[in-house]
Amino acid sequence: MSDHVYIRPVGFAPGPQSEHGNAIRLAGTMVYASRFAVILRRGGEVVERLLASVDTIDEVLGALPDEVGAEAEAQWANLTLAHPPMQLGSRAVALDQPQVMGILNVTPDSFSDGGEFMDKPDVQREVAAAMLEAGAAIIDIGGESTRPGAQPLWEGDEIERVVPAIEACSAMGAAISIDTRKAAVMEAGLEAGAHLVNDVSGLKHDPRSAEVVAAAGCPVVLMHAPGAGGEDLHANGDYDAVVFDVFDALRARRDAALEAGIEAKNIMLDVGIGFGKSLADNLALINALPLFHALGHPLLFGASRKRMIGALSKEAPVEERLGGSVALALEAMRGGAQVLRVHDVPETVQARNVWRGLRDAALTDFSDLPG
């Protein structure tokens, strides 16, 4: 049986000085981790779990089986890796603090806005401009609904929906993401002015998609969805242990992207909240989000207005999920997520700014130290 290792941050500090320097800056973010669980899994079962601190991690990793030694060392290095700014056209999006990605759906059947912006270019421009003014670093434009039960859309129709919105946002100088799983739509979106591909299938749906992204040299988000081949994104959501299974699946998609010629610096990962996952699965992934930094890439987090919020709040309808959306965004920030994909940009930006103020204050607070 093959062994697999995972290094999960489990203890956090307001700043390194509170642990007398015995903490790492998690993935170059504003989050500091001081304790770590080193987990050994064999045949799908956890066989050992060791706790380590920064000053004991070398000893703990050195005691692991040789088979996983190199992987463990790579994961530890990734946890301390500071990611450079993401270059999106003329804009450099810093990843040392959480950034907000605003959602602009141009679909008639979106679960969140019900086609509010469909075939309304003036409204699309106003909404995008308002998100940018409120502090969105990126506008994510999608033309195909990926909600459970949504019907697949022909790529030509999807292109007709997204290209005008991309062109309008490009004219504003916005950094733009094209949310699609189809290679032809990626090509049309990038040509129209998009800078980033956000593929909910993790480049599984279209056999040409990895080639398109590699040739464009653009950043890409690889999201986890369990459906084989990226067809039904909500099917086959059966997990032995959802956190480890999603970690392994994202690592496999990352490796496939690298093999296709996509540069490591251009890869961002998304655990895929709500895609083929139960409420318990989603909660486990959010609680374990810091673990995914061990893969060595920035994390995008998208839980805005999703069904799990209603499930935890007396089945609140989608238009009444702002509080839950902000709560999950804050939890993702505490987990070191670099990009937050949201519908409610002003409220999320305000929450981010207050959270950032708390982190800044903690870094400069030495009042409880002697001398």
Side-chain angles (χ1 to χ4, degrees), residues 99-112:
Q99 300 289 352
V100 174
M101 171 188 279
I103 300 169
L104 181 61
N105 286 319
V106 287
T107 65
D109 55 350
S110 166
F111 87 93
S112 62

Side-chain angles (χ1 to χ4, degrees), residues 177-268:
S177 167
I178 172 65
D179 179 359
T180 185
R181 51 184 173 160
K182 302 182 182 75
V185 183
M186 295 174 191
E187 290 173 322
L190 292 168
E191 184 176 352
H195 311 101
L196 164 69
V197 169
N198 182 11
D199 186 349
V200 293
S201 79
L203 300 179
K204 288 189 298 185
H205 177 75
D206 191 321
R208 281 204 316 118
S209 57
E211 174 189 338
V212 168
V213 172
C218 66
V220 62
V221 179
L222 305 177
M223 194 197 80
H224 174 269
E231 295 292 341
D232 184 347
L233 298 165
H234 302 273
N236 305 316
D238 298 320
Y239 309 97
D240 292 329
V242 66
V243 169
F244 301 137
D245 291 351
V246 171
F247 185 97
D248 292 344
L250 281 176
R251 177 168 48 196
R253 296 313 306 153
R254 183 274 313 275
D255 291 347
L258 293 173
E259 290 174 9
I262 298 172
E263 294 186 74
K265 69 177 183 179
N266 283 336
I267 295 174
M268 186 176 293

Side-chain angles (χ1 to χ4, degrees), residues 29 174 249 299:
T29 67
L299 302 181

Side-chain angles (χ1 to χ4, degrees), residues 22-35:
N22 198 24
I24 65 165
R25 186 178 181 185
L26 184 62
T29 67
M30 304 180 79
V31 177
Y32 288 84
S34 57
R35 285 190 303 120

Side-chain angles (χ1 to χ4, degrees), residues 303-335:
S304 178
R305 300 186 186 177
K306 287 194 174 177
R307 185 179 299 177
M308 66 173 293
I309 299 170
L312 292 170
S313 52
K314 300 180 180 179
E315 300 303 329
V318 66
E319 67 273 11
E320 296 178 11
R321 296 176 184 173
L322 173 60
S325 297
V326 172
L328 291 177
L330 285 168
E331 191 61 27
M333 293 183 221
R334 285 191 282 268

Side-chain angles (χ1 to χ4, degrees), residues 82-165:
H83 301 285
M86 182 169 50
Q87 196 65 42
L88 301 178
S90 61
R91 292 195 174 199
V93 178
L95 298 176
D96 58 352
Q97 60 181 293
Q99 300 289 352
V100 174
M101 171 188 279
I103 300 169
L104 181 61
N105 286 319
V106 287
T107 65
D109 55 350
S110 166
F111 87 93
S112 62
D113 50 48
E116 182 181 351
F117 312 134
M118 183 71 179
D119 297 326
K120 299 177 182 177
D122 291 342
V123 176
Q124 293 171 13
R125 281 192 292 270
E126 290 174 8
V127 170
M131 289 193 289
L132 292 170
E133 185 176 357
I138 307 167
I139 303 297
D140 188 49
I141 299 173
E144 179 185 44
S145 175
T146 53
R147 61 178 174 78
Q151 294 300 308
L153 181 68
W154 178 56
E155 62 188 25
D157 291 337
E158 189 175 344
I159 290 169
E160 286 186 7
R161 292 178 182 180
V162 300
V163 164

